Amino acid sequence: MFQYIVRRLLIAIPVLFGVTVFSFFIVNLAPGNPVEMFVNPDTTQADIELKKEALGLNDPIYVQYVRWLGNLVQGDFGYSFSTYEPVLNMVSSRIGPTLLLMGTALFVAYLIAIPIGVLSATKQYSWLDYLSTSVSFLGISIPHFFLGLGFIYIFAVQMHSLPTGGMNTLGSEGGFSDTFKHLIMPAMVLAAGIAGRMVRYVRSSMLDILGQDYLRTARSKGLREFFVINKHGFRNALIPIITVIGIDVSVLIGGAVVTEQIFQWPGLGQLTIQSIGSRDYPTLMAINFLAAIAVLSSNLLADIFYSVADPRIKYD
Amino acid sequence: MSMANVNTEKDIPLSNVQAQLGAEESYMRMITKRFLKHKLAVLGLIVFCLIILSAVFAPLISPSDPYEISGEFAAAPSGEHMLGTDQVGRDLLSRLIYASRVSLSVGVGAVAIYVVIGTVLGAIAGYFGKWVDMVIMRLTDVFMSFPYLMVILVLVSIMGPDLYNIIIVLGLLGWPAICRIVRGSVLSIKEMDYVKAGVALGYSTPKIVFQHILPNCLAPILVNATFGIAQAIIMEASLSFLGMGVQPPTASWGNMLTEAQSLTVLSSQPWLWVPPGMMILLAVLSINFMGDGLRDAMDPKSLK
């Protein structure tokens, strides 16, 4: 197992390299370059060439890549095309709200989905199973923006019980309960798809386990059904579920873009849309790069955790 | 995928071909029977067929031209305009019908592109193994690391948002899942005796891969592609909703919802945004049910 973990870490290195190459490629493919922000009516072509030379834009592409990578390692993502601020400053203030939103959504989704999935499997083909299957398909199929608009219409416009957007009430002190109220709708929207997929996944994983011989053994030795399901069944059913957490993180980040836009949540997703509007490619690249690192590391953690959790798996 | 269906080979004796065809037919019949038992999947198939029909015959069934200003601005549903008119005064029902063309072409177009890419790369990785496999699988990991919607947004904004660019970008980025599935299937199938027999008979590698191995991975590819169409439709709708997809005046279910971001439209003109949203939900839901039915019907674990 230790060997497996080491090998898994080694495999992540070329992938990380690929991620940086791809990110660099995106920035270079994009129109516009850092020189443009120094251009004003008095700038001559010679000045531009000078600046280009100074910034190293005339160097071969691989030299530029290595320099870019060196800066990246030191946390230097370059300067924004729209605000001329360091990209790192713009991005870092957005990470907190996004993590809060995604963390809440993931937590709520699993909290709801796992028990429902288990129940759905143990009572297969009951009305409860059909209901949970239908609702989970609805959750998977509804686009974030439609669900979000529906929520705003119902809970904010009709019932006046929740704020339409933002993270805190304007002009107020903010505080925990205020942020919490603002968090409810976007978190629910993000959680819906994740929960729907999770219910399906837990259900099928649990159904696999329920047919295993060792559950029959547990029953035949007179164990109460509650323990058979929860101790012998559920714990084993959880193992394959670990692997989808990495996928969920990727789905969450994508979903956060739309959800944050609808609810004006001041996170990375909203910054993505703003940067696309202003064609701010350095910022976009930084966000994409960070997102890819997040997905990569959660996949890595999931794989390692999986190998620890299931000693039956042999790695050659 | 059509490559894999070619099966009229001169060097196979006729009786073999017939036996093979016979077996395939009964397999198809069994799959169909099992699919038809899944009520929601059948319902999904019916709804999906209706959406396809309405897209194909859009000019015939639309009450008016989707681009023509034919009434008041944002008029509520009435006898003349069944679903009302949009903010420019165009008939909403007609736009809704025409928009299904956009969604379906993105869904089918993007998935067709990435099924081909994923199948070819996956087959190469699985069949050749060693460093070829290593390189392709790491490439897959790289593509899978980037959150789908985010990269698509960036690429579409670079290439310029329009229908064809969306199809291309979705197609170029969607292949990793298929690639992994095909690689896995090829890895297990290539050790089978009939493949080894093919190698011993001196068949060329492409022939072995495309005619002897790939037809046996069709089931998981088909299931994945079905879900993929649903996902591509959601992606296009999301992009268009954000203004980075299909541009007005072309109607797309996603861009018909863009205006609902303003609170006045959202709260007092629900006919502008509820119907297109429901259409996306209906289309995606019906495809997902079909995919679920297909998966159950083709699951080898439950084959008798």
Side-chain angles (χ1 to χ4, degrees):
Chain A
M1 192 185 71
F2 177 72
Q3 257 185 337
Y4 169 75
I5 294 176
V6 170
R7 216 184 51 192
R8 189 64 189 76
L9 281 169
L10 287 178
I11 284 177
I13 294 171
V15 178
L16 189 64
F17 172 71
V19 166
T20 61
V21 171
F22 195 68
S23 302
F24 181 72
F25 176 69
I26 290 179
V27 197
N28 270 274
L29 196 73
N33 64 53
V35 176
E36 281 172 16
M37 62 174 118
F38 302 103
V39 175
N40 58 50
D42 300 328
T43 327
T44 63
Q45 193 60 38
D47 290 341
I48 291 177
E49 282 308 315
L50 219 63
K51 195 76 207 175
K52 262 189 167 174
E53 191 61 49
L55 286 169
L57 290 177
N58 294 332
D59 293 342
I61 194 89
Y62 58 88
V63 175
Q64 288 191 46
Y65 168 75
V66 171
R67 187 166 42 226
W68 173 84
L69 194 63
N71 292 339
L72 203 68
V73 172
Q74 295 163 38
D76 178 5
F77 288 89
Y79 290 86
S80 156
F81 280 3
S82 67
T83 60
Y84 308 141
E85 257 185 90
V87 168
L88 189 68
N89 294 0
M90 294 177 69
V91 170
S92 57
S93 65
R94 303 288 192 130
I95 292 178
T98 292
L99 283 183
L100 175 66
L101 177 61
M102 294 194 339
T104 313
L106 202 63
F107 179 72
V108 170
Y110 286 6
L111 196 68
I112 297 171
I114 292 176
I116 291 181
V118 172
L119 262 181
S120 200
T122 50
K123 301 194 188 320
Q124 197 186 8
Y125 302 132
S126 67
W127 65 270
L128 194 123
D129 184 26
Y130 285 119
L131 183 71
S132 85
T133 299
S134 316
V135 173
S136 55
F137 263 103
L138 213 59
I140 295 168
S141 303
I142 195 162
H144 288 111
F145 58 90
F146 187 49
L147 186 60
L149 292 174
F151 274 8
I152 294 178
Y153 184 70
I154 295 168
F155 297 111
V157 175
Q158 299 290 336
M159 292 167 60
H160 299 287
S161 48
L162 290 172
T164 55
M167 196 169 154
N168 294 109
T169 311
L170 280 178
S172 80
E173 294 274 302
F176 176 76
S177 71
D178 188 49
T179 306
F180 180 73
K181 264 190 170 172
H182 285 81
L183 182 61
I184 295 175
M185 282 201 288
M188 290 301 139
V189 168
L190 263 185
I194 301 281
R197 240 179 300 273
M198 198 39 131
V199 168
R200 303 289 303 152
Y201 213 80
V202 174
R203 180 180 178 272
S204 74
S205 167
M206 195 70 193
L207 280 177
D208 277 353
I209 300 286
L210 287 177
Q212 300 282 326
D213 285 342
Y214 62 83
L215 276 209
R216 200 170 2 163
T217 310
R219 277 201 190 94
S220 59
K221 74 179 184 191
L223 204 64
R224 290 223 316 269
E225 188 63 17
F226 180 82
F227 290 108
V228 173
I229 300 294
N230 291 300
K231 221 171 155 196
H232 294 235
F234 175 61
R235 282 170 63 172
N236 284 303
L238 267 185
I239 296 172
I241 293 167
I242 297 170
T243 49
V244 295
I245 293 176
I247 301 169
D248 279 349
V249 169
S250 171
V251 173
L252 270 177
I253 297 174
V257 176
V258 180
T259 311
E260 289 183 5
Q261 172 69 8
I262 294 171
F263 292 99
Q264 290 137 47
W265 188 261
L268 285 174
Q270 201 194 29
L271 183 64
T272 305
I273 302 291
Q274 287 167 357
S275 311
I276 283 176
S278 55
R279 308 208 154 254
D280 186 357
Y281 294 106
T283 308
L284 281 174
M285 186 283 308
I287 299 172
N288 264 289
F289 181 73
L290 288 176
I293 298 298
V295 175
L296 191 64
S297 41
S298 46
N299 272 328
L300 189 66
L301 279 177
D303 278 2
I304 290 175
F305 196 50
Y306 187 74
S307 73
V308 175
D310 195 345
R312 286 171 304 183
I313 297 166
K314 294 261 191 300
Y315 301 95
D316 49 348
Chain B
M1 280 195 292
S2 61
M3 289 176 281
N5 286 333
V6 184
N7 216 348
T8 43
E9 279 298 315
K10 286 176 210 131
D11 47 354
I12 301 175
L14 195 63
S15 58
N16 265 10
V17 176
Q18 277 165 342
Q20 214 175 341
L21 284 179
E24 247 163 48
E25 196 188 25
S26 70
Y27 176 73
M28 282 305 294
R29 198 173 294 158
M30 186 182 62
I31 299 274
T32 316
K33 222 165 94 186
R34 290 157 55 114
F35 182 83
L36 291 177
K37 270 191 202 158
H38 194 307
K39 291 191 192 72
L40 284 172
V42 176
L43 189 69
L45 182 68
I46 295 170
V47 172
F48 188 58
C49 288
L50 286 177
I51 295 173
I52 292 177
L53 285 177
S54 75
V56 171
F57 296 109
L60 296 178
I61 55 174
S62 297
S64 60
D65 187 316
Y67 302 110
E68 188 194 14
I69 295 162
S70 58
E72 289 171 55
F73 302 154
S78 63
E80 197 187 344
H81 299 285
M82 251 193 337
L83 290 177
T85 60
D86 69 2
Q87 290 189 314
V88 198
R90 296 170 295 205
D91 182 59
L92 261 176
L93 179 60
S94 310
R95 290 183 69 72
L96 211 58
I97 293 169
Y98 270 87
S100 61
R101 292 184 156 188
V102 168
S103 292
L104 289 182
S105 45
V106 171
V108 176
V111 171
I113 294 175
Y114 77 59
V115 163
V116 172
I117 301 177
T119 305
V120 171
L121 285 180
I124 292 174
Y127 190 81
F128 292 105
K130 299 201 181 94
W131 66 269
V132 181
D133 181 35
M134 186 73 185
V135 169
I136 293 178
M137 289 330 283
R138 294 298 78 78
L139 195 66
T140 312
D141 289 345
V142 171
F143 271 76
M144 278 190 147
S145 296
F146 287 95
Y148 205 38
L149 182 64
M150 235 179 209
V151 185
I152 291 169
L153 266 171
V154 175
L155 288 181
V156 167
S157 86
I158 292 173
M159 291 168 69
D162 75 35
L163 183 60
Y164 296 104
N165 285 345
I166 291 172
I167 294 177
I168 292 169
V169 169
L170 286 177
L172 290 181
L173 291 177
W175 55 268
I178 297 268
C179 179
R180 282 191 173 180
I181 291 169
V182 173
R183 171 188 176 263
S185 304
V186 171
L187 274 181
S188 62
I189 293 169
K190 79 170 178 186
E191 296 304 326
M192 291 194 175
D193 286 341
Y194 77 89
V195 176
K196 287 181 179 159
V199 177
L201 282 170
Y203 287 161
S204 69
T205 305
K207 182 168 164 177
I208 291 170
V209 172
F210 285 106
Q211 281 182 25
H212 295 205
I213 295 182
L214 279 184
N216 290 295
C217 330
L218 275 186
I221 295 175
L222 197 62
V223 171
N224 193 282
T226 311
F227 288 121
I229 294 177
Q231 205 199 2
I233 290 178
I234 289 197
M235 281 295 154
E236 180 276 323
S238 305
L239 288 173
S240 299
F241 171 76
L242 293 170
M244 291 310 296
V246 175
Q247 301 294 313
T250 307
S252 133
W253 290 332
N255 71 24
M256 291 170 80
L257 273 135
T258 308
E259 283 157 2
Q261 284 186 81
S262 97
L263 263 183
T264 33
V265 173
L266 186 74
S267 55
S268 56
Q269 296 160 335
W271 66 88
L272 285 179
W273 61 274
V274 175
M278 293 308 277
M279 282 312 296
I280 303 170
L281 182 58
L282 202 63
V284 173
L285 202 56
S286 67
I287 299 169
N288 278 338
F289 279 139
M290 269 163 46
D292 198 51
L294 269 182
R295 182 168 51 194
D296 285 357
M298 290 176 163
D299 187 0
K301 263 191 280 181
S302 54
L303 284 182
K304 286 183 192 98

